[in-house]
Amino acid sequence: MSTYSELTQREQELLKIRRDSDTKAAQLVKMEKMLEQTKSLLDKKTESGPEKMGYQENMVADLEEKVRSSRRYRRNSLHHTQMLESQMKTVKGELVGTLDHLQELRNVLRRSQQKAEERKATMEKLAAGLR
């Protein structure tokens, strides 16, 4: 059943996105701590030379950009996860409807086969009676 495999694949994608999102969230927390530590060090080292301060400021700016980038990635991942969850619910609903319809068709087929067998038996009786 290809719909089932699509659903399983979507569920796997969803789990991967959730794991990636959790990993990025943990990285974000770690980077925020590093940023705070770096800012704290910068505040303590006001007597450092201007070249060293420039390097530290660049490092802080880089860390801040990484934090912003991670936040954007996490927001996008969460949005994508929500979209996939919504699509999965839709697919599950469609599957339920399809299964119900297939069961109805199976019942109709069984009744038709039963009637055909009854007609065949009647025809055989008639044919036997004509001989």
Side-chain angles (χ1 to χ4, degrees):
M1 194 173 208
S2 65
T3 309
Y4 178 75
S5 63
E6 288 175 20
L7 185 62
T8 301
Q9 184 179 2
R10 285 182 186 250
E11 288 173 340
Q12 289 172 353
E13 289 175 16
L14 181 61
L15 286 174
K16 182 182 182 299
I17 290 171
R18 280 187 178 158
R19 275 182 283 197
D20 288 348
S21 180
D22 290 344
T23 300
K24 289 295 179 184
Q27 288 174 346
L28 180 62
V29 168
K30 187 188 282 186
M31 282 193 269
E32 286 175 337
K33 286 180 184 177
M34 285 175 50
L35 180 60
E36 288 302 316
Q37 290 171 352
T38 304
K39 282 184 178 181
S40 173
L41 284 174
L42 279 174
D43 291 343
K44 290 178 184 177
K45 293 190 175 187
T46 54
E47 70 276 352
S48 296
E51 292 146 8
K52 195 170 189 179
M53 284 298 282
Y55 171 75
Q56 289 174 343
E57 287 171 359
N58 285 341
M59 190 170 75
V60 168
D62 288 346
L63 285 173
E64 288 174 337
E65 178 54 35
K66 285 181 181 178
V67 167
R68 283 191 293 274
S69 175
S70 292
R71 285 180 179 156
R72 280 191 303 272
Y73 179 82
R74 178 148 194 235
R75 270 194 313 271
N76 290 339
S77 293
L78 289 174
H79 177 70
H80 190 67
T81 301
Q82 289 168 346
M83 281 181 18
L84 286 174
E85 285 175 340
S86 173
Q87 289 174 354
M88 199 169 11
K89 286 179 185 175
T90 301
V91 169
K92 281 184 179 180
E94 290 172 358
L95 278 175
V96 167
T98 301
L99 287 174
D100 289 345
H101 186 68
L102 285 173
Q103 287 174 344
E104 289 174 26
L105 290 174
R106 185 178 60 202
N107 292 338
V108 168
L109 179 62
R110 281 186 190 155
R111 285 192 300 269
S112 296
Q113 286 174 334
Q114 239 178 351
K115 287 179 184 177
E117 288 173 9
E118 290 170 4
R119 287 180 184 152
K120 182 180 175 186
T122 303
M123 292 296 284
E124 288 174 356
K125 286 180 187 176
L126 286 173
L130 290 176
R131 292 183 192 154

